[in-house]
Amino acid sequence: GAVVSQHPSWVICKSGTSVKIECRSLDFQATTMFWYRQFPKQSLMLMATSNEGSKATYEQGVEKDKFLINHASLTLSTLTVTSAHPEDSSFYICSARMGMAAFFGQGTRLTVV
Amino acid sequence: ELKVEQNPLFLSMQEGKNYTIYCNYSTTSDRLYWYRQDPGKSLESLFVLLSNGAVKQEGRLMASLDTKARLSTLHITAAVHDLSATYFCAVITGTASKLTFGTGTRLQVTL
């Protein structure tokens, strides 16, 4: 089946630095990708919808200047957490849809120290 | 605002027993997904339910959808330890086809 690859799987960074997470659709083209955030023992919360060639659509309460999304090609979307703080520590998961199915990346565990 | 609620939130059951997880959602949708998540891992797709009355089965898991009641169920038959995980339902809404996830049900199957 279709595969969505997310990189890195985990990252530790210092407060104030920026971190970029990549999400690739490996064998299909995805005009739309989704970014989710998951805190421990909680559900997935949609952060934003990434649209190829145009601006991302952010959910209410998500700071677009802090979570920069770029969808420059049909197979790659990136999420950059800028000026990261400990409260940004979380599990970030991307998703891409092909037809009726939704495929998820492996997730990225971000720890800000 | 769409709400997707699951119950129970936590379920501890013995091997060999049967149980049902419920997923209620608050607005019209004709597509519902079930996913499994193991600790520290991403989501594994279990079922996609596309229409009212849809029923799908895979191994010891069976999912159904009642769009009129806005209810989906995930039934576990003769549970085994390997089924221990967190299960999420998710509903498609809006023109952007966004997935809204349920609260999750953490299943623990004990020997």
Side-chain angles (χ1 to χ4, degrees):
Chain A
V3 177
V4 174
S5 177
Q6 195 173 333
H7 177 81
S9 300
W10 59 271
V11 57
I12 301 173
C13 72
K14 291 185 177 181
S15 258
T17 60
S18 296
V19 173
K20 180 185 284 189
I21 303 169
E22 293 187 348
C23 180
R24 294 181 185 274
S25 56
L26 294 186
D27 51 3
F28 66 103
Q29 295 181 331
T31 55
T32 304
M33 292 185 178
F34 302 88
W35 287 95
Y36 295 86
R37 180 174 184 175
Q38 185 180 33
F39 290 108
K41 298 192 190 315
Q42 293 190 24
S43 188
L44 281 74
M45 299 300 296
L46 180 65
M47 298 175 65
T49 303
S50 172
N51 305 298
E52 188 267 334
S54 65
K55 291 183 180 180
T57 304
Y58 290 81
E59 294 299 301
Q60 193 172 10
V62 177
E63 298 177 59
K64 61 181 180 181
D65 295 329
K66 180 165 188 62
F67 299 100
L68 299 179
I69 291 173
N70 184 276
H71 195 150
S73 78
L74 287 170
T75 59
L76 174 64
S77 175
T78 60
L79 168 68
T80 302
V81 183
T82 62
S83 186
H85 291 284
E87 57 265 30
D88 298 324
S89 299
S90 188
F91 192 51
Y92 293 86
I93 307 176
C94 70
S95 170
R97 191 150 311 129
M98 186 172 76
M100 296 291 187
F103 299 95
F104 289 83
Q106 305 96 317
T108 298
R109 182 158 307 282
L110 170 64
T111 303
V112 185
V113 297
Chain B
E1 180 190 340
L2 171 63
K3 290 188 179 178
V4 185
E5 296 182 339
Q6 288 177 236
N7 77 81
L9 297 181
F10 176 73
L11 174 58
S12 179
M13 57 190 297
Q14 287 184 318
E15 276 202 334
K17 299 291 186 183
N18 304 332
Y19 208 85
T20 300
I21 298 170
Y22 297 88
C23 172
N24 289 92
Y25 52 99
S26 62
T27 193
T28 302
S29 176
D30 57 4
R31 207 187 315 168
L32 188 139
Y33 299 77
W34 282 97
Y35 293 95
R36 168 183 173 144
Q37 186 179 38
D38 290 297
K41 303 289 186 183
S42 189
L43 300 179
E44 174 190 346
S45 179
L46 296 175
F47 301 108
V48 180
L49 301 169
L50 300 176
S51 60
N52 186 41
V55 176
K56 289 195 174 178
Q57 182 164 5
E58 181 74 35
R60 301 174 188 275
L61 301 178
M62 183 173 70
S64 67
L65 177 62
D66 181 343
T67 58
K68 292 179 182 177
R70 297 178 184 168
L71 170 69
S72 179
T73 61
L74 181 66
H75 186 74
I76 303 153
T77 302
V80 292
H81 182 69
D82 286 351
L83 290 179
S84 298
T86 298
Y87 293 85
F88 291 98
C89 63
V91 174
I92 285 275
T93 56
T95 53
S97 295
K98 298 189 291 187
L99 267 178
T100 300
F101 282 84
T103 43
T105 296
R106 188 159 72 93
L107 172 65
Q108 184 178 67
V109 181
T110 57
L111 297 171

